[in-house]
Each structure stands twice: as C-alpha cells, then as structure tokens.
Amino acid sequence: MLLIQKGTEAVTDPEVQEKTLSIYELIVNGGIGSIIIISVLFVLLAVALYIYFERLFAIKSASKIDKNFMNQIRDNVSSGKLDAAKMLCAQTDSPVARLTEKGISRIGKPLEDINKAIENAGTLEVYKLEKNVSILATVAGAAPMIGFLGTVIGMILAFHEMATSGGQAEMGSLAGGIYTAMTTTVAGLIVGIIAYIGYNHLVVKTDKVVHQMEANAVDFLDLLNEPV
C-alpha cells in the first residue's frame, strides 16, 4: 500500500507543471532579429489600422446625402433658380453635390461639355476617396514577405548553430533561430491578413459611393434633357 502511495506521489509530483509562454516571451526569446522584424510589423499594423479607420469614416461621410437633394435640385433648375441650386450644392458636403454643382455651372453649354465636366470632377472625387488606400494593399503584400524574411533569418541562425557545433547542437541552442522563424511568420501573416481584409472592405465601400455618384450624374443629365 505504501508502494502504491509512493508511486502515486511520483506521478503527481508538483514539480512537473505545464509551462505556458506569453506573447512577450515568445517575441523576446526569438532574439534581436525577431524583435526588430516584429517591431517593423507592428508599425505596419498601426499604419494599416489608422488608414483603414480614417478612410472608412471619410467614405461613410461621403456616402451621406439627403434623399430629397436631387428633387430640390430638379425643382430649382426647372424653375430657372440656378443660384439657389448652386447654394444648395455648396451647403451639402458630399461628392454628389460637388458633381451636381459642376454640372449646374455648365448649364447653357452643349450637353457633351456638361457631361465631360462632370466626369472630370468625378475623377477627382474618386481620387480623394481612394487616398492612401493603396498603402493598405502594399502592407497586405509586404507584411507576409517581411515575416518570411524573419523565417529565413531564423533558419539560417539555427543551421549556423548546427554547423558550428559539428552537428551535435542541442535543441536549447537552436531555440533562438526557431523562435525567430516561427514568430515572424505568424506576425507577418496576421498583419497581412488584417491589411488585406481592410483594403477589400474599403474598395467595396468606395465602389458604392462611385455608383451613387454615377446614378446622380445620370439623373442630372436626364433633368437637362427634359422638355421645358
């Protein structure tokens, strides 16, 4: 009975405990290479998040427009109150209003000239909406590559340790290189995925605003073609 108790005590020895590893320890244990690369990835993540939320709020603001806006424009233009229509456009801070104002300022000229003026103004508005969005695409592509660079560096360190030890290196001496390889790969993929999702979400939002601009431009041109 005593032997059984001793055996049980040996199995349940409190010294045998599961060791956990925090994210901080995972980064630090990778060595200076891991710290530098993950720091770069952290900066890229901060830049990507800033651009995403800044553009998201800007695009949401650009998509807001009064549903009665075009009806009021229609009434003013039909009544010949072009100054009132321009004033309404000036008071409405949106791409649709600016395109409409550009068209109103060209009333009296050939329809083709009006259409061209609206298209040129629309190009500028799309450029404003897409400002800095390409940086997200760059981060989405560069972050995994930077992570893989850390992987290569980590493996080089591990193999170098094996080579200098005559192939008799212990796992403990290889830990630094392995940590660098694994942590940088994961970090790079995480940053890349976040940036990629953010970029595509902004592209979809921008396309909706562009469609709204095109639809209102068509409505305005149809208004000019209506018989007086």
Side-chain angles (χ1 to χ4, degrees):
M1 186 66 178
L2 291 175
L3 291 176
I4 295 176
Q5 289 178 347
K6 288 181 179 180
T8 304
E9 290 175 359
V11 174
T12 59
D13 188 348
E15 294 181 358
V16 181
Q17 298 178 353
E18 183 179 356
K19 185 178 180 180
T20 59
L21 189 65
S22 66
I23 296 178
Y24 174 77
E25 292 174 337
L26 190 63
I27 296 173
V28 172
N29 289 340
I32 187 65
S34 175
I35 294 174
I36 292 175
I37 291 177
I38 291 182
S39 297
V40 172
L41 291 172
F42 180 79
V43 172
L44 291 178
L45 177 61
V47 170
L49 290 176
Y50 171 79
I51 293 175
Y52 171 74
F53 286 107
E54 188 273 334
R55 286 292 87 199
L56 180 63
F57 294 140
I59 293 172
K60 282 187 175 181
S61 177
S63 63
K64 293 180 180 179
I65 187 171
D66 188 359
K67 294 181 179 179
N68 294 322
F69 174 78
M70 287 306 299
N71 292 331
Q72 294 175 357
I73 293 295
R74 182 185 300 274
D75 294 339
N76 288 327
V77 172
S78 299
S79 303
K81 301 177 181 179
L82 299 184
D83 291 337
K86 290 181 181 179
M87 182 64 67
L88 177 61
C89 292
Q91 293 174 348
T92 305
D93 185 16
S94 71
V96 170
R98 287 188 284 272
L99 293 185
T100 305
E101 183 178 11
K102 183 65 67 174
I104 293 173
S105 65
R106 296 293 192 276
I107 289 180
K109 296 184 178 181
L111 192 61
E112 183 178 350
D113 292 345
I114 298 176
N115 186 27
K116 187 63 177 179
I118 293 176
E119 288 181 357
N120 292 336
T123 301
L124 294 176
E125 292 297 332
V126 172
Y127 175 78
K128 292 178 182 178
L129 291 174
E130 295 178 343
K131 179 182 178 182
N132 295 329
V133 174
S134 60
I135 297 178
L136 279 180
T138 302
V139 173
M145 294 177 65
I146 294 174
F148 292 145
L149 174 62
T151 301
V152 174
I153 293 175
M155 297 309 297
I156 290 175
L157 293 175
F159 282 113
H160 175 72
E161 185 65 29
M162 292 179 62
T164 54
S165 63
Q168 301 297 324
E170 297 180 356
M171 287 301 298
S173 61
L174 302 178
I178 296 174
Y179 271 127
T180 300
M182 297 299 100
T183 55
T184 55
T185 301
V186 173
L189 290 174
I190 290 175
V191 175
I193 290 171
I194 293 174
Y196 180 76
I197 293 174
Y199 170 78
N200 282 281
H201 184 238
L202 292 180
V203 168
V204 172
K205 289 287 187 181
T206 302
D207 288 343
K208 289 182 179 180
V209 177
V210 172
H211 175 73
Q212 186 183 56
M213 291 163 53
E214 292 175 347
N216 282 273
V218 170
D219 289 343
F220 178 76
L221 292 174
D222 289 342
L223 169 62
L224 299 181
N225 284 324
E226 290 180 357
V228 181

